[in-house]
Amino acid sequence: YISENNNQNTTLVDGMECIEKVNRVVFLDGHPQGSLDPTWESLFAKYHFIQHMGVGGSNSSSGLCFEQAIFVPPGYKSPLFDNDPSRRRCPHKGMTKAFSDFVLEQHNLLHNKGKVIKGNIVLIDRHPFISHPRIKLENFERKFKASDLEKLQKRLASIPGATLQVVRLEKLSFREQLALMQESHIVIGMHGAALTHLLFMDENRSQLIELMPRNRVDFFQSLSEWKGMNYKRFTLDSSGQMNEKFIDDVVRHVEKYIWEN
């Protein structure tokens, strides 16, 4: 999610005519090197990962200097991110489409737009991912319990006219993830960064279904509004488990959506 925030921030800055073109863009981020970093090179240019801006401790006068650079707002300062529920994020379909098309074009996938496979359900199996040493696995709650995943998977696979793919996105290249989203009719996933991929789904035919734990910010509902696409939320109870009624509700909704769309 933060990687996409950084990418969109940079796209916005790069498109500002009032800023003289320079060959160095700097953005601040707290995560260590990861599998999504090469995407930067696909979208923009070569990159250098700098772990520490200063050298020699907090009292040192040494640091990193740039003769000429554009500093992009940090990921959490993106228009896509606003954790104050009292403020309504402003939808901007044109800007979202431009960003989505740019990413797809840079990965030679723009020609695949509109090639949704009817009944193609993608169920994202979210697993713990250590993006920073401060993250503790015992606090990782937004994932499927094995029994819940098995029940939901079995019910979805039995829907007439549906094909089900259960995926772990971290095992796919970024280009493969984009292509998967383009062909999906319905994407189902637990609240988490993977749902940012709704940006690359078909806004006219596809739907995102978010399984939302309580007390979470509605990033992806707002992002769906920016995209102008169908969005549906099912909220889990305080235990975070899926009872039979919850699974029934999800499956009935999926059946209806496939039938009508």
Side-chain angles (χ1 to χ4, degrees):
Y1 185 82
I2 298 303
S3 295
E4 290 302 337
N5 274 282
N6 286 327
N7 289 335
Q8 188 180 60
N9 279 344
T10 304
T11 304
L12 293 174
V13 170
D14 188 55
M16 293 180 181
E17 296 180 358
C18 60
I19 296 180
E20 181 181 355
K21 298 295 183 181
V22 297
N23 62 2
R24 192 179 302 277
V25 175
V26 180
F27 65 91
L28 307 175
D29 197 350
H31 80 274
Q33 288 176 283
S35 60
L36 290 178
D37 291 343
T39 303
W40 175 268
E41 192 166 343
S42 300
L43 296 178
F44 304 108
K46 292 183 178 180
Y47 69 96
H48 300 280
F49 187 91
I50 302 171
Q51 189 169 3
H52 297 291
M53 295 293 285
V55 180
S58 58
N59 296 325
S60 172
S61 60
S62 62
L64 185 65
C65 297
F66 298 94
E67 182 177 340
Q68 190 178 38
I70 295 174
F71 280 79
V72 177
Y76 280 100
K77 297 298 182 183
S78 164
L80 295 178
F81 188 101
D82 188 347
N83 61 358
D84 184 348
S86 67
R87 290 198 296 267
R88 187 65 176 168
R89 302 176 192 85
C90 179
H92 197 307
K93 295 179 183 178
M95 182 177 68
T96 306
K97 181 181 184 302
F99 174 69
S100 173
D101 286 354
F102 169 70
V103 174
L104 293 173
E105 184 176 24
Q106 294 301 104
H107 289 85
N108 195 29
L109 288 170
L110 191 57
H111 63 282
N112 280 351
K113 287 190 68 174
K115 295 187 177 180
V116 175
I117 300 174
K118 183 176 176 63
N120 183 22
I121 304 170
V122 173
L123 178 59
I124 299 174
D125 183 11
R126 190 171 190 265
H127 279 246
F129 172 68
I130 302 297
S131 59
H132 194 280
R134 66 174 174 264
I135 294 178
K136 304 298 182 183
L137 282 180
E138 56 267 26
N139 296 330
F140 193 94
E141 59 183 18
R142 287 174 288 122
K143 63 178 180 179
F144 285 108
K145 293 177 173 60
S147 58
D148 290 342
L149 179 63
E150 183 179 354
K151 291 176 185 177
L152 182 59
Q153 181 178 346
K154 184 176 180 180
R155 292 286 305 280
L156 291 171
S158 67
I159 295 175
T163 56
L164 176 67
Q165 300 182 71
V166 181
V167 299
R168 291 183 58 180
L169 293 179
E170 71 272 17
K171 294 188 175 184
L172 304 176
S173 69
F174 188 68
R175 189 180 189 280
E176 289 172 332
Q177 294 177 37
L178 294 176
L180 179 70
M181 294 299 120
Q182 285 185 297
E183 295 179 346
S184 63
H185 196 189
I186 297 176
V187 172
I188 305 172
M190 196 73 71
H191 176 85
L195 301 189
T196 310
H197 278 325
L198 71 88
L199 286 167
F200 312 109
M201 296 170 64
D202 188 299
E203 64 270 24
N204 297 313
R205 294 186 59 197
S206 301
Q207 183 178 65
L208 175 74
I209 297 178
E210 178 178 13
L211 309 181
M212 175 78 97
R214 294 185 182 275
N215 303 319
R216 294 290 173 178
V217 183
D218 60 345
F219 305 132
F220 305 109
Q221 180 178 356
S222 295
L223 196 56
S224 296
E225 293 175 5
W226 282 44
K227 176 73 172 175
M229 67 172 292
N230 290 306
Y231 168 91
K232 177 69 175 179
R233 176 194 299 173
F234 290 91
T235 303
L236 295 160
D237 63 23
S238 57
S239 71
Q241 294 183 330
M242 300 180 190
N243 56 36
E244 291 298 329
K245 182 181 182 306
F246 184 93
I247 293 176
D248 284 343
D249 289 345
V250 173
V251 172
R252 279 198 297 267
H253 175 82
V254 171
E255 286 179 325
K256 185 172 185 291
Y257 189 83
I258 291 177
W259 177 261
E260 295 178 350
N261 296 275

